[in-house]
Amino acid sequence: MGQNIIHIFPKEKFTTDYVRMINDHMNNTDNHTFYLYGNDTYENLINSITTYNNVKILRINISFIYSLLRSDQVIFHSLFMKTKTLSFFSLMPFLARKASWVIWGADLYDYKNLKKNLKSRITFLLKKHFTSRLRKIAVLTDSDFNLSRIWYKTSGEKYSVRYIDYQTIDYIKKIKKNSFRSEEETNILVGNNATASNRHKEVLDLLSSYKDKSFNVYVPLSYGDETYKKDIINYGYKILGEKFIPLTSFMEKKDYYDILSKIDVAFFNNDRQQGLGNIRILFYLGSKIYMYEKSSMHKDFEKNYIIYNMKNAKNEKFIDMLSYQKESIDHNSMMVSEFFSVDKAIREWDFFFKN
């Protein structure tokens, strides 16, 4: 008889992919139950899996506490949750010994918000109290594990895992094969969402210096901070005019990937780990990518990929910014092809569950 494994999972872009992958390949050996929480804005992202018997909406009640007690493992996919919810989990005496944390990025960087208000301080202390006792810490990038040691005093064993576009890998491969980039039109992508950590304005200022050139600037802003979104939209139109194309509504994945297939150059000026899925798909499709050189993402990606620094972009001519060697394109694409492996993803998660 297998383990009873509970997943505490936000309603997010890759929730459906992950649930389906586990159900298709791993639910015959262990019993996996997914409790989903988060903003109802993302409800449309999970509609297709809410009818599954092992997918439930997280409600803290007697039935849920009983499920926690009966479980062998409780896996928190991110700990970016309301303080009230986090306090419930962190103060349960039996939970830490069988719980693990999969760090997503935003949930790690609460440390940087300590001086903002009392609530952020309480959230950080609760999370530190909880995560410092966990036996397993899973990461998407190596640097995040090191930061968890420093900021949250974690002592759990490190595991590397991945979330992949389980349902759309074949489509991504198809558009790569059929994609055609126009030499007359340049398409640029900036950031991955409407959060201040993208630091959009610095990139938009850079691109405004090339206003005499022909190009489009796509800026994904479909989720995040609404106030920040409005500010970036106003700023983008102000300095780039019609070149600025904000993506403000949720799109079907295939439609979004069609846009990514046209991108020549992408800028991820994020000061923390964000947009990993976008970055890998862009690498696979042949885009040139600039990153903030001091970010943890840059440190991790430069180990295996050919990337470019934001710092250098500020001194480049437009033609140099577009220049990208075929050898670099092929190398990055090959690295992502290996990452997209369903078999490797399953092996990583299986190792994580069993140890």
Side-chain angles (χ1 to χ4, degrees):
M1 185 175 178
Q3 301 182 82
N4 287 316
I5 301 175
I6 286 178
H7 301 260
I8 311 296
F9 211 118
K11 300 171 187 176
E12 259 290 352
K13 298 179 295 302
F14 36 76
T15 306
T16 300
D17 281 303
Y18 183 78
V19 170
R20 285 186 170 166
M21 184 184 76
I22 297 300
N23 280 352
D24 287 350
H25 296 277
M26 308 189 78
N27 220 15
N28 57 337
T29 53
D30 296 311
N31 297 313
H32 295 266
T33 306
F34 301 88
Y35 287 90
L36 310 184
Y37 69 92
N39 198 318
D40 288 341
T41 304
Y42 306 132
E43 205 70 32
N44 63 316
L45 298 177
I46 64 162
N47 281 340
S48 62
I49 58 171
T50 52
T51 57
Y52 291 9
N53 292 332
N54 65 336
V55 175
K56 307 175 187 295
I57 300 302
L58 175 59
R59 293 184 178 88
I60 297 175
N61 51 32
I62 296 299
S63 175
F64 176 63
I65 294 173
Y66 181 65
S67 296
L68 292 177
L69 286 166
R70 290 182 62 250
S71 67
D72 297 298
Q73 292 191 60
V74 180
I75 299 171
F76 290 86
H77 297 259
S78 169
L79 279 169
F80 196 63
M81 56 181 59
K82 292 180 179 179
T83 304
K84 183 179 179 180
T85 307
L86 181 61
S87 64
F88 166 78
F89 289 120
S90 65
L91 298 177
M92 296 191 78
F94 67 88
L95 191 56
R97 59 183 165 80
K98 59 180 175 181
S100 52
W101 178 23
V102 185
I103 299 173
W104 280 16
D107 53 334
L108 179 69
Y109 279 75
D110 284 353
Y111 178 83
K112 287 193 170 185
N113 298 324
L114 287 184
K115 295 180 181 179
K116 285 190 175 181
N117 54 50
L118 179 61
K119 185 177 180 180
S120 65
R121 179 71 182 175
I122 292 172
T123 300
F124 168 74
L125 291 174
L126 286 168
K127 190 179 297 182
K128 183 178 179 181
H129 171 71
F130 185 49
T131 59
S132 63
R133 296 176 292 144
L134 303 182
R135 294 182 180 180
K136 297 194 291 188
I137 305 293
V139 292
L140 312 181
T141 64
D142 291 337
S143 296
D144 283 351
F145 180 77
N146 298 330
L147 291 174
S148 76
R149 289 279 207 226
I150 297 168
W151 293 345
Y152 293 90
K153 307 303 179 187
T154 58
S155 58
E157 188 175 351
K158 174 188 172 186
Y159 292 81
S160 293
V161 295
R162 70 186 74 186
Y163 297 95
I164 61 173
D165 285 88
Y166 175 67
Q167 302 168 96
T168 47
I169 289 175
D170 289 340
Y171 185 76
I172 295 169
K173 291 177 179 179
K174 179 181 176 181
I175 59 174
K176 174 180 173 61
K177 184 178 180 181
N178 299 328
S179 65
F180 173 76
R181 286 187 171 86
S182 171
E183 294 184 2
E184 299 177 359
E185 183 180 66
T186 298
N187 294 302
I188 298 169
L189 184 107
V190 179
N192 72 296
N193 65 20
T195 56
S197 50
N198 281 259
R199 306 190 309 158
H200 290 95
K201 288 185 179 180
E202 185 177 349
V203 182
L204 298 177
D205 287 341
L206 167 67
L207 296 176
S208 70
S209 65
Y210 304 125
K211 278 204 295 189
D212 60 322
K213 307 297 182 183
S214 176
F215 60 91
N216 301 311
V217 181
Y218 291 89
V219 184
L221 297 168
S222 60
Y223 66 100
D225 184 323
E226 285 297 317
T227 302
Y228 180 80
K229 177 198 290 190
K230 292 175 183 176
D231 183 41
I232 294 304
I233 290 173
N234 291 335
Y235 192 79
Y237 279 127
K238 179 180 177 181
I239 66 171
L240 290 174
E242 293 182 356
K243 297 179 187 294
F244 180 76
I245 306 174
L247 305 176
T248 58
S249 302
F250 282 107
M251 305 171 67
E252 291 292 330
K253 276 191 174 184
K254 291 181 179 180
D255 294 333
Y256 183 61
Y257 294 159
D258 285 342
I259 292 176
L260 295 188
S261 71
K262 300 189 297 183
I263 300 301
D264 299 287
V265 182
F267 289 88
F268 290 90
N269 196 34
N270 313 59
D271 61 7
R272 66 171 176 84
Q273 185 255 97
Q274 273 182 299
L276 297 181
N278 281 350
I279 290 169
R280 288 197 171 94
I281 291 171
L282 287 164
F283 272 140
Y284 182 70
L285 295 174
S287 303
K288 181 178 182 179
I289 294 181
Y290 286 86
M291 288 186 195
Y292 176 49
E293 58 279 357
K294 293 183 180 179
S295 70
S296 61
M297 284 200 309
H298 186 284
K299 293 174 185 175
D300 288 311
F301 272 106
E302 71 175 348
K303 296 174 186 175
N304 298 306
Y305 295 83
I306 298 168
I307 57 177
Y308 297 82
N309 297 342
M310 269 297 302
K311 183 179 178 180
N312 296 338
K314 297 173 184 178
N315 302 313
E316 289 181 335
K317 295 179 180 178
F318 189 71
I319 193 170
D320 295 327
M321 184 182 72
L322 298 182
S323 177
Y324 196 27
Q325 299 298 318
K326 186 179 185 303
E327 291 79 7
S328 300
I329 295 174
D330 292 343
H331 170 81
N332 288 341
S333 184
M334 179 192 69
M335 293 301 298
V336 177
S337 292
E338 295 176 3
F339 181 87
F340 280 164
S341 168
V342 175
D343 288 340
K344 286 185 178 180
I346 292 167
R347 283 200 298 271
E348 286 176 352
W349 285 105
D350 186 53
F351 183 69
F352 180 59
F353 297 150
K354 287 181 177 177
N355 285 274

